[in-house]
Amino acid sequence: MLAAAPLIEKELEVWPGLLRLAAAGEGARDALDMGMDMAREISLTLMADAELLAGGSAEILPRGKAGRLALEAYQTLRDALPASEMPPPLAALPGAVCDTVLAAMRAGGRTVLVSVGDVMAVHQEAGEILPLRTGLPPILHEFCGALGAGLQGGVALGGSRSAMPTSGLADLVAVQTRGAALAGLVAAMLADAADVAGAVRLAGDLRDRLLAMAWRGRRATGAAGLVEPEAVWQALSAAVRLASALRDKRLLRAAAMGLKGRGRTVGPVDGDRLLRFGVSEWR
């Protein structure tokens, strides 16, 4: 296993937050320059594409690279599980921004990372461990560490403790997929699936205009209320069934889900290493 090389970083303000680019190894500065050029290009069409995706229709043609990638991820997931309820297409856009910038950076550093909010695109060589990054949510960094060295693809958070709205009960969902756009969608989808009939929940407050537009007419959970232990396991099991179906279709590598101090995992992730999840019992 290789020691983490020092990271150099740059930032740019975009929707829905601060876009953070980082690279390490020979060529890292060139990678950052290429990434920043792409990030600025994306920013020219990002808000227009976000408006289109927030409208909820998949029958649109986004103008920018990130918008088109978000729609492709949505259609991939919808085609794989046509009978499943989907989150709004907008859930894929933050990750699509990360994927698009990462692709521009790949000609540079040995380790390249791009994150915004609760989603990250990452490429590392085999055997490398993820360096500690300023600004990456600690829960997401902990999840990446539990996945092991040589991390590639996309990781994202979902659930009521994440930035992306959910209609389900899960406090937290963390996923790894082949790309960040897909990761954002899958995290939202699993969080929505972690539900049980009759459970009490507090309503969520969607302050972001685009998120409020995309989730219009959908229930948004601020936090789960009192949930009986058996109902907790039922809700988590519903999310695990969906996660397993996605993994069978190679649309998910690993996931961890937590609710009321209980948790479930799918794929190669050790729940006992996820201390920030607040889970005392994993299954």
Side-chain angles (χ1 to χ4, degrees), residues 215-247:
W215 266 261
R216 183 173 54 233
R218 296 171 180 251
R219 179 174 59 191
T221 301
L226 180 63
V227 185
E228 294 296 328
E230 187 58 34
V232 169
W233 289 121
Q234 289 175 9
L236 291 173
S237 293
V240 166
R241 288 192 293 272
L242 177 58
S244 298
L246 290 167
R247 194 159 189 263

Side-chain angles (χ1 to χ4, degrees), residues 3 9 15 33-34 38 42 44 66 90 93 105 109 130 136 180 221 230 236 245 264 268 270 278:
E9 304 186 47
W15 184 87
D33 289 342
M34 290 185 285
M38 178 56 69
I42 289 171
L44 299 177
L90 187 65
L93 187 56
M105 297 172 65
L130 186 71
L136 190 66
T221 301
E230 187 58 34
L236 291 173
R264 297 287 304 270
D270 182 1

Side-chain angles (χ1 to χ4, degrees), residues 172-192:
L172 273 175
V173 172
V175 304
Q176 181 197 8
T177 70
R178 66 194 185 201
L182 187 60
L185 275 174
V186 169
M189 195 174 185
L190 294 182
D192 288 348

Side-chain angles (χ1 to χ4, degrees), residues 188-208:
M189 195 174 185
L190 294 182
D192 288 348
D195 208 348
V196 64
V200 177
R201 70 199 77 210
L202 303 177
D205 182 15
L206 302 185
R207 298 183 179 182
D208 181 278

Side-chain angles (χ1 to χ4, degrees), residues 161-174:
R161 288 171 57 190
S162 77
M164 197 60 65
T166 180
S167 63
L169 297 173
D171 298 323
L172 273 175
V173 172

Side-chain angles (χ1 to χ4, degrees), residues 23-105:
E26 186 177 354
R29 295 191 182 279
D30 289 339
L32 284 178
D33 289 342
M34 290 185 285
M36 288 297 290
D37 287 345
M38 178 56 69
R40 294 188 185 100
E41 178 184 331
I42 289 171
S43 69
L44 299 177
T45 56
L46 182 61
M47 294 308 295
D49 286 347
E51 295 268 3
L52 284 176
L53 292 167
S57 173
E59 308 305 321
I60 57 173
L61 183 60
R63 294 171 54 198
K65 294 179 181 179
R68 292 194 294 270
L69 184 59
L71 190 58
E72 289 173 10
Y74 180 84
Q75 291 171 337
T76 295
L77 198 56
R78 184 185 61 182
D79 292 345
L81 295 172
S84 297
E85 185 174 346
M86 293 283 294
L90 187 65
L93 187 56
V97 171
C98 296
D99 285 334
T100 307
V101 174
L102 185 88
M105 297 172 65

